Amino acid sequence: MRFEFATAGRILFGEGTLRDVAPAASAMGRRALLVTGKSTERASALMAGLKASGLAAAPFAVAGEPTIALIRSGAEYARGERCDLVIAMGGGSAIDCGKALAAMLGNPGDPLDYLEVIGAGRPLLDPSAAFIAIPTTAGTGSEVTRNAVLASPDEQVKASLRSAGMLPRLAVIDPELTYGLPRPITASTGLDALTQLIEPYVSVRANPMTDQFSVEGIRRAAVALPRVWDNGADRAARADMSWASLLGGLSLANAGLGAVHGFAAPIGGMFPAPHGAVCAAVLPHAMAINVRALRQRAPESDALRRYEEVARLVTGSAHAMAEDGVRWIAELCRRLEVPPLRTYGVDDSHIPLLVEKAAKASSMKGNPIVLDAEELREIVTRAM
Ligand SMILES: [Zn+2]
């Protein structure tokens, strides 16, 4: 047995933990950049707490998924405000934005110097500025990952800043913050969480530690996700989804992902589709093609046994086959009214480029079997 595992410096989980942020932050810096989603309303209690703890806070609201230009201007603003600490409170976009800004505060130069794929890809040699992540959705797990996804509207792709030094100093997961999530966001972020548990579990980089997290998370999310869809006020189920999302983040940051996220990168770059919604649309089809490919070309593989375990976890049946798990996920996506990719403007003419880009995406390297272009085409066609 040989593996590596790294995560946030400290994790606080539970209802009401938002109140612990300000005291913790006051030990990390004097002037905080406070990154939020487009509404700063939800962060007003935190803002007041920071002031009471003697910290100055410069607000920075982001409307959507962060772009290279936004990180460039945000870093300039944070330097001007002499911020020595970054706190991000919001969905995956706000957290990735804060994580990228903390990295740029700690390192000289421009985001493009360090960006994978479309930038120079230089290593971020210096640690990030102190960074606190507070998710308000249950899905991305970005509070415990070491990368920030940035969009480049010019090149129509998304690429990551990535470094072990980008792991947050503190992750605060307060399920109360997710109580008010609208239904479509509950569904798409919840299915992203489920994807981020299943893909690391069948990944070629899965390790014994991430397996424990994946199994626990899949079991929890399979029960809790339909419950939060039916009743967003179900506190126990909301807490289970926050827990599952955290477990997904721990798993993916240490075991990688697969074909669903391989497609999510180019689709998210080319179309105005939220990350979770893309993953939800692709998940059942990527699972179906992966299981079929494994049966055809690697019937004795460990990955097939793992898909069978996924099926047993989600269905609760000890005799479930891998294909039963695929059917269960497809049925869940129907029940949660997941829109097909055509909703975002994807059509037949985009398939060749999407297949070409997905094959080269960094997440695809974790997929349990190498899929050929025809199989990739089938996944995206079915998801349309
Ligand atoms: Zn994801």
Side-chain angles (χ1 to χ4, degrees):
M1 201 188 286
R2 182 192 174 92
F3 63 87
E4 181 189 331
F5 187 86
T7 192
R10 185 180 166 208
I11 296 171
L12 289 174
F13 184 98
E15 290 179 2
T17 47
L18 180 64
R19 288 189 288 276
D20 300 330
V21 173
S26 65
M28 294 183 198
R30 309 280 4 123
R31 299 180 65 84
L33 179 75
L34 180 56
V35 182
T36 64
K38 63 177 181 289
S39 156
T40 54
E41 174 93 26
R42 205 166 27 188
S44 55
L46 173 60
M47 193 79 146
L50 293 173
K51 289 217 170 84
S53 296
L55 270 104
F60 189 71
V62 292
E65 299 184 347
T67 59
I68 297 167
L70 180 76
I71 298 308
R72 200 174 279 140
S73 64
E76 207 166 289
Y77 169 68
R79 286 192 188 108
E81 293 285 327
R82 303 191 318 284
C83 295
D84 54 2
L85 163 68
V86 179
I87 303 174
M89 178 176 176
S93 297
I95 293 182
D96 274 13
C97 179
K99 199 187 288 175
L101 288 171
M104 293 315 299
L105 275 181
N107 288 270
D110 187 81
L112 273 176
D113 296 338
Y114 305 105
L115 208 60
E116 292 177 348
V117 188
I118 51 176
R122 291 215 308 260
L124 287 149
L125 294 175
D126 296 317
S128 292
F131 175 51
I132 300 175
I134 311 165
T136 58
T137 61
T140 69
S142 179
E143 67 274 17
V144 289
T145 66
R146 65 190 78 182
N147 68 306
V149 182
L150 305 185
S152 170
D154 297 341
E155 278 123 320
Q156 296 205 323
V157 288
K158 288 182 173 179
S160 278
L161 292 176
R162 192 184 308 269
S163 157
M166 289 173 68
L167 280 164
R169 182 89 61 88
L170 172 65
V172 178
I173 302 100
D174 185 340
E176 270 186 27
L177 300 174
T178 70
Y179 289 175
L181 280 182
R183 270 182 127 202
I185 297 180
T186 297
S188 60
T189 53
L191 285 163
D192 186 25
L194 193 53
T195 307
Q196 294 177 170
L197 290 155
I198 294 172
E199 291 206 302
Y201 186 59
V202 300
S203 159
V204 295
R205 288 174 50 210
N207 74 52
M209 195 151 170
T210 56
D211 286 349
Q212 300 299 315
F213 295 139
S214 302
V215 166
E216 168 70 2
I218 293 166
R219 195 195 331 263
R220 295 265 180 174
V223 176
L225 186 47
R227 280 176 54 188
V228 291
W229 171 257
D230 289 340
N231 174 17
D234 184 330
R235 291 168 156 238
R238 285 287 193 194
D240 272 359
M241 284 312 299
S242 289
W243 173 221
S245 171
L246 169 61
L247 292 167
L250 294 171
S251 296
L252 84 89
N254 292 280
L257 292 160
V260 179
H261 281 81
F263 273 109
I267 294 172
M270 290 166 65
F271 303 92
H275 171 76
V278 173
C279 289
V282 176
L283 175 63
H285 311 294
M287 271 178 87
I289 301 300
N290 267 343
V291 168
R292 192 186 69 193
L294 287 163
R295 287 236 187 269
Q296 288 169 348
R297 303 200 287 280
E300 304 299 323
S301 74
D302 187 50
L304 206 47
R305 186 196 60 74
R306 284 168 176 266
Y307 271 117
E308 195 171 274
E309 181 62 24
V310 170
R312 290 172 185 180
L313 289 166
V314 297
T315 63
S317 159
H319 308 291
M321 306 283 286
E323 288 79 0
D324 298 323
V326 176
R327 272 190 289 276
W328 189 94
I329 295 285
E331 179 49 38
L332 177 66
C333 290
R334 262 191 297 278
R335 185 169 161 194
L336 270 55
E337 298 169 16
V338 171
L341 292 178
R342 73 166 57 84
T343 315
Y344 310 104
V346 184
D347 66 41
D348 288 344
S349 70
H350 303 112
I351 292 177
L353 187 57
L354 286 175
V355 165
E356 187 194 321
K357 287 187 173 184
K360 284 189 269 189
S362 60
S363 295
M364 194 63 85
K365 296 185 183 81
N367 203 59
I369 187 163
V370 176
L371 299 174
D372 62 29
E374 182 53 33
E375 288 166 329
L376 294 175
R377 195 193 58 77
E378 200 173 341
I379 292 173
V380 68
T381 304
R382 287 193 194 187
M384 259 166 40

